Amino acid sequence: MRVLVVGGAGYIGSHVVMDLLDNGHEVTVFDNLSTGHEINLFEEAHFVKGDMLIEEDLEGVLNAGEYDAVIHLAALKAAGDSMTDPETYAHHNICGSINLLNAVTRHGIRKFVFSSTAAVFGDPRYLPVDENHPVDPANFYGFTKLQFERQLAWFDKLRGMKFVSLRYFNAAGYDPDLRVKGLEVNPKNLVPVVMEVAMGTRKELMVFGSDFETRDGTGIRDYIHVSDLASAHTKALDYLAGGGDSLAVNLGSESGHSVLEVVQCAREVTGREIPYKLVDRREGDPACLYATSQHAQKVLNWKPVQSDLKSMIATTWNAYINQ
Ligand SMILES: NC(=O)c1ccc[n+]([C@@H]2O[C@H](COP(=O)([O-])OP(=O)(O)OC[C@H]3O[C@@H](n4cnc5c(N)ncnc54)[C@H](O)[C@@H]3O)[C@@H](O)[C@H]2O)c1
């Protein structure tokens, strides 16, 4: 397929592009390089620099090629920032995504894969979180993603846009062969923050909450290897190409790890001390959050194969020490 990957120079996008190329797809990356890297671009893929907030940029890339499908990963993604600067998040994540959807619809494209998030669910009412779990975002970032999922559903009804919304849990890891070179910019997730402590660029890790009702008192989250996430996008395109109906699926590894388990594993992998400090819980942080991805496994014929904690930490460490 000829695929336009919006946000394809970013952390997850570059892994997606690699998986698409490995599977014989023709890829064009459209990215404004705000958090993406030029070194994440692959020679085998076309690249058009541009911003989805600018209609002429979108027209430019859509006029420059014929595409069978679009994968949309471009967004701002810091949940905390979205609560203090909702205008910017509304502009980028909602207005930008609507610009993109309008433009690709005008150009006759009817297959769309969207990077959504576990944040659409808010506080879990039961575990593991499945696709029937009510959506009720606890932060504005999650709301922006849910809003666009709803936009897609209307465009399916009114314009026949078939979409797969992939609700990622926490992405971690790097390509084991280090084909992706650029590190995630300003990461807020646990694994890269732990790596920064291991590298000595951050003094210590703050562990928010040690009195949760979990096996060691620290919060439990679901981590999924970025290469597993990437392969789900390729499978989602196969699904749409086979005439599949629009759907939203959870992508998690089915098992959660506590903060201290991540620290312990990182100590073993890096051989570094990784000092940490136990501090108060952050408001709104649930004790446990993990998904079932049975639905994705069944409908997309996808399976996470690299999402054990050690692989995620070892490949991330490899990327950090090879900078
Ligand atoms: N990283 C995670 O754990 C995680 C979890 C759930 C969902 N997501 C979603 O996955 C997607 C990718 O996340 P990531 O971690 O790779 O982030 P990233 O910041 O590394 O990638 C985003 C890419 O989009 C580009 N971009 C941003 N705004 C743009 C615009 N207006 N026009 C064109 N390009 C633009 C950036 O330059 C960057 O290359 C995001 O939509 C994010 O919300 C990420």
Side-chain angles (χ1 to χ4, degrees):
M1 262 197 250
R2 297 159 301 180
V3 190
L4 179 63
V5 182
V6 180
Y11 166 56
I12 299 172
S14 52
H15 287 86
V16 168
V17 169
M18 209 171 61
D19 197 78
L20 292 170
L21 293 170
D22 286 349
N23 284 282
H25 294 286
E26 191 182 315
V27 178
T28 299
V29 170
F30 177 78
D31 199 301
N32 67 1
L33 299 181
S34 54
T35 55
H37 302 279
E38 242 171 301
I39 45 165
N40 280 353
L41 299 169
F42 296 90
E43 255 174 37
E44 303 88 330
H46 310 283
F47 173 58
V48 177
K49 186 170 176 192
D51 196 313
M52 65 179 178
L53 287 163
I54 302 171
E55 273 189 35
E56 300 82 74
D57 286 2
L58 284 171
E59 280 305 311
V61 68
L62 288 163
N63 284 327
E66 298 266 314
Y67 309 102
D68 303 303
V70 172
I71 299 181
H72 172 31
L73 301 112
L76 300 178
K77 59 172 183 177
D81 294 352
S82 76
M83 299 296 277
T84 53
D85 190 3
E87 296 83 0
T88 302
Y89 272 72
H91 187 52
H92 282 256
N93 291 9
I94 301 179
C95 300
S97 297
I98 289 174
N99 276 351
L100 173 66
L101 182 59
N102 284 347
V104 304
T105 305
R106 272 197 308 272
H107 281 258
I109 300 166
R110 291 294 180 271
K111 296 183 185 67
F112 201 104
V113 177
F114 175 54
S115 297
S116 189
T117 169
V120 298
F121 293 114
D123 291 342
R125 300 190 191 163
Y126 59 84
L127 291 166
V129 173
D130 60 18
E131 286 75 6
N132 295 321
H133 190 287
V135 284
D136 184 14
N139 54 60
F140 189 70
Y141 163 71
F143 169 77
T144 65
K145 294 286 184 173
L146 182 59
Q147 186 76 354
F148 189 62
E149 284 193 359
R150 290 180 169 157
Q151 184 89 10
L152 283 168
W154 273 105
F155 270 53
D156 181 2
K157 269 190 225 172
L158 303 176
R159 292 285 183 256
M161 179 64 77
K162 294 296 163 201
F163 70 89
V164 176
S165 185
L166 300 172
R167 293 168 171 171
Y168 317 155
F169 281 60
N170 297 287
Y174 277 80
D175 172 49
D177 300 321
L178 272 190
R179 288 176 291 170
V180 169
K181 307 264 185 278
L183 291 181
E184 195 179 350
V185 172
N186 196 15
K188 302 259 163 69
N189 291 344
L190 179 62
V191 174
V193 169
V194 166
M195 294 295 111
E196 289 176 1
V197 177
M199 294 289 287
T201 51
R202 188 187 283 258
K203 200 169 130 253
E204 61 187 358
L205 172 74
M206 300 292 208
V207 178
F208 296 102
S210 53
D211 56 353
F212 287 112
E213 279 184 25
T214 59
R215 41 191 182 260
D216 60 19
T218 64
I220 290 180
R221 295 289 178 274
D222 191 335
Y223 298 91
I224 174 115
H225 196 291
V226 69
S227 302
D228 284 334
L229 277 187
S231 73
H233 294 73
T234 309
K235 297 278 189 185
L237 288 183
D238 294 344
Y239 166 83
L240 291 175
D245 226 339
S246 298
L247 86 161
V249 291
N250 294 347
L251 297 180
S253 66
E254 305 244 310
S255 62
H257 300 288
S258 75
V259 177
L260 293 185
E261 285 164 359
V262 171
V263 170
Q264 183 50 32
C265 184
R267 283 178 169 163
E268 286 160 22
V269 167
T270 64
R272 309 276 170 99
E273 191 201 342
I274 318 200
Y276 65 82
K277 191 160 146 192
L278 302 176
V279 295
D280 287 347
R281 296 178 187 192
R282 282 181 303 203
E283 209 183 309
D285 269 357
C288 262
L289 182 59
Y290 56 91
T292 166
S293 50
Q294 291 300 316
H295 193 49
Q297 300 200 22
K298 199 165 130 214
V299 292
L300 300 184
N301 187 26
W302 165 84
K303 209 173 159 50
V305 290
Q306 302 185 55
S307 293
D308 61 286
L309 187 57
K310 197 163 178 199
S311 300
M312 289 187 281
I313 291 183
T315 55
T316 309
W317 182 235
N318 204 17
Y320 271 75
I321 55 178
N322 280 291
Q323 277 303 293

